[in-house]
Amino acid sequence: MSTTSDTQRASVLLGTEDLTIEDRPVPEVDPGDVLVRVAAVGVCGSDVHYYRHGRIGDFVVEEPLVLGHELSGTIAAVGEGVDPGRVGERVAVEPQRPCHRCAQCLAGRYNLCPHMRFYATPPVDGAFAEYVTIEAEFAHTLPDTVSFEAGALLEPLSVGIAAARKAGIVPGSSVLIAGAGPIGVICAQVARAFGATRVVVSDLVPERRERALSFGATEAVDPVAVDVTSDIVPVDAFIDASGAPRAVSDGIKAVGPAGAAVLVGLGNSEMVLPVEHIQNLEVTVTGIFRYTNTWPVAIGLVASGQVDLDALVTGRFGLDDVREALESDTDPASLKSVVYPNGVPAGE
């Protein structure tokens, strides 16, 4: 083990908007696992939601929790059964532990494993800490040409890949994406990488619409000024990255015959949907819950230059500044904040 101490620093959520720094033991490395010295952690909307509200649906913060699940780092030690030659390897972490034995895992849908232990989802601690452990196969090797920041953001990129797969995007497709936040602009980049020739992004905020045009969108529209149900129809696919009920309903109405609508954004637990349109045009409406087998594709898209994740980063913070990182979403200019648990590198 290359750690210099048996303890590490971690940012811990004690309650709503209540953070502290704690000294905690460096986690032990179980057989089949690797210990990762965390380099970069992206701030996700779910982290912000837990920070501000203490829960997301049925997931409730009832005891101290370490947030953060978008991460990269360097392997510092390996457990029994893992090639010791991996020590020192740069990796992006797929932040989940499925059981590998249930019906969903055996069917290849390990994201739906009922026994899943996912980083930063109560009661499982996340990565706003100096070290974490993960199963060796979920520590994906990063090419030297992919930065630690981009490596951390392979996690939200994986959401975009999962959405594009569900949407059936192929060369020549047209797609409407509601919401030009981090997931929306990532979905736009993925859609273009998958061959979509028309990518329309809708957002209420002018600055976000303008930014979407530099991240894969061929058009950016104001959903108040433009009626997507009549002015841009039909599209082959709709991806909602907003969670807004009106955006979901209108987006589905924009989908043409035999198209698909994929719900990604966190919105109301129940919504009114245009059932007649769905039935008469045989529109497939589905959601996504995380991802499966996306990291190899994500690494390829970034390494080849088809997706730019480094350009998404608008803020960099140390472990003592996690509060500022979590609250940075209130700045309209902010797109993606990154936390460096072991210190922000010089020049960043």
Side-chain angles (χ1 to χ4, degrees), residues 5-348:
S5 172
D6 293 331
T7 61
Q8 64 166 335
R9 299 172 75 240
S11 175
V12 183
L13 180 68
L14 301 178
T16 304
E17 298 187 349
D18 185 6
L19 290 167
T20 190
I21 297 291
E22 292 184 1
D23 288 327
R24 291 189 167 191
V26 172
E28 295 185 6
V29 192
D30 293 332
D33 280 7
V34 295
L35 178 72
V36 176
R37 185 177 188 270
V38 181
V41 190
V43 175
C44 176
S46 65
D47 297 319
V48 175
H49 212 81
Y50 282 128
Y51 168 71
R52 290 205 175 107
H53 307 290
R55 68 183 301 156
I56 298 177
D58 294 334
F59 297 108
V60 183
V61 180
E62 296 178 335
E63 56 189 47
L65 180 72
V66 177
L67 296 173
H69 63 266
E70 305 174 0
L71 71 144
S72 64
T74 303
I75 294 179
V78 300
E80 181 182 347
V82 181
D83 179 6
R86 295 198 68 183
V87 173
E89 186 178 300
R90 300 170 70 252
V91 295
V93 172
E94 183 173 347
Q96 48 189 353
R97 289 182 182 270
C99 75
H100 302 292
R101 296 182 297 274
C102 71
Q104 296 302 319
C105 284
L106 294 177
R109 298 184 294 264
Y110 62 82
N111 60 313
L112 301 180
C113 173
H115 312 292
M116 175 67 75
R117 292 177 58 80
F118 193 91
Y119 275 30
T121 300
V124 182
D125 282 329
F128 287 159
E130 293 175 327
Y131 292 90
V132 299
T133 58
I134 194 69
E135 292 174 290
E137 60 266 33
F138 283 173
H140 301 272
T141 306
L142 274 182
D144 290 339
T145 55
V146 177
S147 70
F148 278 125
E149 289 184 347
L153 300 186
L154 293 178
E155 197 277 343
L157 175 55
S158 287
V159 174
I161 292 169
R165 286 173 172 172
K166 284 277 193 178
I169 296 174
V170 295
S173 290
S174 58
V175 57
L176 168 65
I177 299 169
I183 293 297
V185 298
I186 285 174
C187 284
Q189 288 198 75
V190 173
R192 290 299 295 273
F194 275 35
T197 51
R198 188 184 185 207
V199 180
V200 184
V201 175
S202 67
D203 199 284
L204 295 170
V205 181
E207 293 83 0
R208 288 189 171 188
R209 294 197 299 273
E210 185 66 27
R211 187 163 54 194
L213 293 172
S214 64
F215 283 105
T218 59
E219 303 167 50
V221 300
D222 180 350
V224 173
V226 174
D227 184 353
V228 299
T229 67
S230 61
D231 295 344
I232 69 163
V233 297
V235 292
D236 300 311
F238 165 62
I239 297 174
D240 177 68
S242 71
R246 176 67 181 272
V248 171
S249 179
D250 286 355
I252 292 173
K253 292 177 184 176
V255 177
V262 183
L263 308 185
V264 182
L266 293 174
N268 297 343
S269 59
E270 295 184 1
M271 294 185 187
V272 176
L273 300 182
V275 174
E276 184 176 6
H277 181 89
I278 294 168
Q279 290 178 321
N280 291 350
L281 276 69
E282 294 192 0
V283 174
T284 298
V285 180
T286 185
I288 64 162
F289 188 66
R290 299 170 183 156
Y291 31 68
T292 56
N293 302 312
T294 52
W295 257 255
V297 174
I299 291 170
L301 290 177
V302 175
S304 66
Q306 294 180 80
V307 169
D308 184 357
L309 296 178
D310 290 307
L312 298 176
V313 180
T314 51
R316 298 172 176 87
F317 303 84
L319 199 61
D320 294 308
D321 303 313
V322 167
R323 181 185 305 277
E324 288 80 0
L326 291 168
E327 294 178 351
S328 63
D329 69 317
T330 59
D331 181 357
S334 175
L335 187 56
K336 200 70 182 177
S337 292
V338 173
V339 172
Y340 282 88
N342 283 285
V344 181
E348 296 292 349

